[in-house]
Amino acid sequence: MAGITFIKVSKIYDNGYEAVKYINLEIRDGEFMVLVGPSGCGKSTTLRMIAGLESVSSGELYIGGELMNNVDPRDRNIAMVFQNYALYPHMTVYDNMAFGLKLKKVDKKEIDRRIKEVSKTLDIDTQLNKKPKELSGGQRQRVALGRAIVRNPQVFLMDEPLSNLDAKLRVQMRAELIRLHQELKTTFVYVTHDQTEAMTMGTRICVMKDGIIQQVATPEEIYNKPDNLFVAGFIGSPQMNFYRGKLVEEESKYYLIGDNGEYGNFKFSIEVENKENLKSHIGRDLIFGVRPEHIKLTEEDGLKAKVMVTELLGSEVHVHIHVQDEIHTIKTDASTHIKSGDIVNVKPYSNKIHLFDPETQNALR
Ligand code: ADP
């Protein structure tokens, strides 16, 4: 087991492209850290630097307190599971799992013991004599995991390991990986572009964009207190709704006022944690964000808007409305009679409004 520390680490590829920019990140011993962000933001590069598959261009990378910049991948005691599993097709499941241990000259009996134990945990103990092509996608994924686990690494690295599985299996494997982490108590670093995977699996999440870390926090913190506009929009599905409006103060209460074209103006009251911090923004245009589940339908006042579409998702309905030339989403319960073309009145919960500075895009609170 080991923690991982990045100090001012950058990665510049040979063609001059800076894929990771001066990151500081502390991955704690035994935690399940998920690196998440859109395609191309530098997640895999970060993971591959931990593995030693990419060199560190500048800065320092430590695993278990030891500087790793010049340590060979084989000497790092880490295991990596890839999206395409990278199993040897001509070898049986057993031999695939044994391969790394044989190279390390582990005793045959010990290899056998570990494979039997791990294959039971992963429910592939009846598949040991098969070749990878005789297995389902989910079973192959388990073999890839098993091959990593038998090596007893101090760090597990996973790069989009579930993206080749169908939706149902993905959900199942997600739960298994969480269980596996609880059982092994080893440091997991997991790369995904899927915010649902990040939210459900990570003990902490590191959100990246353009090679820069945007926020590192628990799923709850990231969801409830996103540090900037990007994190607010990236995490959560359907995504947070953003309005343009002005912050005003009336009788020491705060309101946000805005304009929704032909449907007129709106005014929302807002509760803020720290009024002092917002004083300098009174009278200024801000961006404010509200999650779909934090908006209620009202009879009067609030914001008037036209319904574009409604989607029934079993227990709830997503109502998509037209606001300030964008489509906003409201979650409501399945009993609603709202239909497309209706004009609705909506109002965000006053204590659930996120404020952002339109210039810096940072959260104001
Ligand atoms: P992610 O995993 O977030 O999708 P990557 O870390 O794979 O992103 O890539 C980050 C950026 O670095 C991308 O723009 C990608 O095109 C670029 N990149 C990745 N590998 C190389 C390479 N070997 N040479 C040059 N650029 C690369």
Side-chain angles (χ1 to χ4, degrees):
M1 297 222 285
I4 302 161
T5 310
F6 288 83
I7 300 175
K8 299 173 185 168
V9 168
S10 295
K11 172 68 191 180
I12 302 169
Y13 281 111
D14 289 345
N15 63 0
Y17 187 78
E18 193 174 10
V20 171
K21 298 170 187 163
Y22 210 68
I23 60 167
N24 289 304
L25 176 63
E26 176 104 46
I27 300 170
R28 296 174 197 142
D29 187 7
E31 86 173 322
F32 196 142
M33 174 66 86
V34 180
L35 308 179
V36 69
S39 179
C41 71
K43 309 177 292 289
S44 293
T45 303
T46 304
L47 196 77
R48 291 168 65 83
M49 283 194 281
I50 302 174
L53 300 173
E54 294 293 349
S55 62
V56 171
S57 306
S58 64
E60 289 156 23
L61 170 64
Y62 295 87
I63 301 178
E66 278 181 53
L67 186 64
M68 285 291 134
N69 291 41
N70 297 314
V71 174
D72 195 88
R74 278 170 303 189
D75 300 327
R76 295 192 184 197
N77 195 14
I78 46 138
M80 187 147 167
V81 180
F82 297 92
Q83 181 177 350
N84 59 7
Y85 320 136
L87 298 175
Y88 300 109
H90 57 284
M91 289 186 196
T92 61
V93 167
Y94 188 98
D95 289 338
N96 263 287
M97 288 173 76
F99 190 73
L101 296 178
K102 279 186 187 157
L103 281 186
K104 283 212 284 185
K105 307 235 178 325
V106 177
D107 178 66
K108 261 198 175 150
K109 271 198 195 128
E110 174 62 12
I111 294 179
D112 194 61
R113 192 192 64 77
R114 285 199 215 169
I115 291 179
K116 297 239 161 88
E117 184 186 311
V118 171
S119 61
K120 251 196 208 111
T121 308
L122 291 169
D123 203 17
I124 46 170
D125 48 331
T126 55
Q127 314 293 324
L128 293 173
N129 295 322
K130 290 189 181 168
K131 299 265 175 69
K133 67 169 188 298
E134 299 170 80
L135 304 177
S136 69
Q139 288 170 329
R140 275 181 227 172
Q141 183 54 265
R142 280 167 218 227
V143 177
L145 280 170
R147 188 176 53 175
I149 297 168
V150 290
R151 290 175 45 204
N152 237 342
Q154 54 176 349
V155 176
F156 267 100
L157 306 177
M158 293 181 228
D159 195 348
E160 306 253 6
L162 307 185
S163 55
N164 283 343
L165 304 179
D166 64 45
K168 196 172 160 206
L169 202 52
R170 219 162 39 225
V171 173
Q172 190 185 333
M173 282 304 288
R174 227 156 60 192
E176 287 199 22
L177 284 176
I178 296 169
R179 181 184 60 85
L180 202 60
H181 174 253
Q182 286 165 353
E183 205 174 293
L184 299 174
K185 298 184 172 63
T186 311
T187 313
F188 276 37
V189 189
Y190 187 102
V191 161
T192 180
H193 64 277
D194 180 342
Q195 61 89 29
T196 312
E197 265 182 28
M199 287 294 288
T200 50
M201 299 173 78
T203 46
R204 286 198 304 157
I205 300 176
C206 169
V207 184
M208 296 181 73
K209 179 184 171 239
D210 299 336
I212 296 169
I213 293 178
Q214 304 291 313
Q215 186 170 4
V216 184
T218 62
E220 292 77 16
E221 274 177 279
I222 295 254
Y223 195 77
N224 296 323
K225 291 192 169 181
D227 276 349
N228 62 37
L229 209 52
F230 175 78
V231 175
F234 189 77
I235 300 287
S237 174
Q239 81 157 51
M240 189 185 279
N241 303 301
F242 295 111
Y243 306 80
R244 295 183 303 277
K246 189 180 286 204
L247 182 68
V248 295
E249 185 182 8
E250 286 171 15
E251 293 166 1
S252 72
K253 285 204 177 113
Y254 283 13
Y255 297 89
L256 287 157
I257 55 173
D259 168 12
N260 194 27
E262 63 178 298
Y263 298 105
N265 297 331
F266 55 87
K267 181 175 176 181
F268 298 139
S269 70
I270 163 171
E271 279 168 44
V272 292
E273 271 178 33
N274 190 338
K275 281 190 175 178
E276 282 307 309
N277 288 351
L278 281 183
K279 276 231 150 71
S280 61
H281 295 277
I282 291 169
R284 283 186 54 198
D285 285 334
L286 299 180
I287 295 172
F288 55 109
V290 189
R291 297 212 179 271
E293 62 271 33
H294 295 146
I295 301 175
K296 59 182 173 229
L297 294 151
T298 61
E299 291 301 321
E300 65 244 10
D301 67 9
L303 173 136
K304 233 189 210 177
K306 189 171 181 175
V307 176
M308 309 307 291
V309 232
T310 62
E311 289 174 311
L312 174 64
L313 284 102
S315 62
E316 61 185 25
V317 172
H318 293 175
V319 181
H320 302 285
I321 61 173
H322 195 231
V323 180
Q324 294 180 328
D325 293 329
E326 284 173 20
I327 304 296
H328 284 193
T329 308
I330 302 164
K331 276 189 199 172
T332 184
D333 63 70
S335 63
T336 185
H337 296 297
I338 292 172
K339 54 187 187 313
S340 55
D342 286 357
I343 307 296
V344 289
N345 253 303
V346 300
K347 206 173 180 178
Y349 296 116
S350 55
N351 60 348
K352 296 287 186 189
I353 300 177
H354 303 260
L355 295 175
F356 302 95
D357 185 319
E359 277 156 37
T360 62
Q361 309 213 331
N362 288 333
L364 302 167
R365 43 176 180 251

